[in-house]
Amino acid sequence: MTRGKFIAFEGGEGAGKSTQARLLAAELERRGIVCVVTREPGGTPGAEAIRALLLGTEGEGWHPRAEALLFAAARSDHVERLIVPALERGEWVICDRFVDSSRAYQGGAGGLSDDDVLSLHRVGSQGLLPDLTLLIEVSPEVAEARVHARDLGSPDRIGGRDGAFHARVTAAFLAMAKAEPARFARIDGNGDAECVFGDILGTLQSHFGAP
Ligand code: Z5A
């Protein structure tokens, strides 16, 4: 049995990750590839319970260290119970955020070192990394307009942080993409969804050959 491919979508809030993950899953299924679409934090009942703590008011005032531990715990369950079994069945896994979000939000923007975040990932998830990470990049104005239109001004606890925090997130993602060009592909997410999806399909073609 050939192991499936693991693809993660990353980027700031409102970049279009969930939209593109759904489009990709539909296209892969159309080509006869079985895939699982999942998200972080979440994806298993235990990890979804941790998500509710992290994004709800219970998490108010937690230090980035506490956040990083909980994201890593949620990810550990997600990797062990959903991601690895699916890959071993030969399915493709499309994940809306993964460890690079912890590196960007709790690391680059929250002040933890990249080594510390990756250490938690080694303990929790045996250091599993995606085969390909699609970083969807949009301008702050586009992201804000999309999120505002969708959430009508009620962001979650982390999404609602100030512009300086989100600018540090963006800078951290960019630094990772530049440091690991073999795993990351940068996608311009400012255009309409079909146009962005066309770029993603082109990237998959050059990364994996025709799926
Ligand atoms: N977080 C963390 O701190 N550490 C971690 O390790 C992890 C996560 C894993 C999860 O929030 C929060 O947890 C997140 C990071 C933090 N907080 N922030 N910021 P979430 O899962 O609830 O939300 P999100 O991951 O930030 O994603 P999002 O807001 O749902 O955005 P998105 O998935 O990138 O976008 P979307 O839902 O596909 O699209 C947003 C809207 O724009 C929607 O109405 C679409 O119809 C529209 N859209 C999408 N694409 C387009 C295009 N191309 N044109 C026009 N309109 C579009």
Side-chain angles (χ1 to χ4, degrees):
M1 170 75 64
T2 310
R3 188 179 167 89
K5 304 287 185 208
F6 180 19
I7 300 171
F9 282 90
E10 294 284 6
E13 225 194 6
K17 301 176 297 298
S18 313
T19 303
Q20 296 300 326
R22 281 193 298 273
L23 289 172
L24 180 57
E27 178 61 22
L28 291 176
E29 296 279 2
R30 202 182 62 75
R31 297 182 188 193
I33 295 170
V34 179
C35 54
V36 176
V37 184
T38 187
R39 69 171 181 182
E40 291 212 343
T44 59
E48 290 288 336
I50 296 174
R51 176 189 178 92
L53 287 176
L54 276 163
L55 301 185
T57 49
E58 293 88 345
E60 222 48 78
W62 280 345
H63 191 278
R65 283 190 295 273
E67 287 184 358
L69 286 161
L70 283 170
F71 278 113
R75 183 165 301 125
S76 177
D77 192 55
H78 189 207
V79 164
E80 170 122 6
R81 292 176 142 170
L82 188 144
I83 294 177
V84 167
L87 293 172
E88 286 176 350
R89 289 193 300 271
E91 296 169 13
W92 287 36
V93 174
I94 300 169
C95 194
D96 189 345
R97 296 192 180 280
F98 195 62
V99 66
D100 298 313
S101 280
S102 290
R103 298 172 72 194
Y105 284 80
Q106 285 66 52
L112 268 63
S113 76
D114 201 40
D115 275 355
D116 281 351
V117 176
L118 289 173
S119 295
L120 294 179
H121 188 53
R122 273 191 293 278
V123 172
S125 301
Q126 299 182 54
L128 178 72
L129 290 176
D131 297 300
L132 174 65
T133 299
L134 295 160
L135 175 60
I136 314 281
E137 299 177 303
V138 294
S139 71
E141 296 75 25
V142 166
E144 193 184 338
R146 287 184 191 165
V147 171
H148 189 78
R150 188 195 56 190
D151 299 344
L152 301 172
S154 309
D156 66 51
R157 196 180 61 77
I158 295 177
R161 290 178 183 165
D162 66 17
F165 179 88
H166 289 291
R168 293 198 298 277
V169 168
T170 302
F173 274 131
L174 182 56
M176 283 181 249
K178 286 185 172 168
E180 297 174 67
R183 176 167 69 88
F184 274 88
R186 295 173 61 191
I187 303 289
D188 180 352
N190 290 295
D192 64 43
E194 288 70 29
C195 165
V196 176
F197 186 56
D199 287 351
I200 288 175
L201 281 185
T203 299
L204 253 71
Q205 171 79 37
S206 49
H207 201 85
F208 297 124

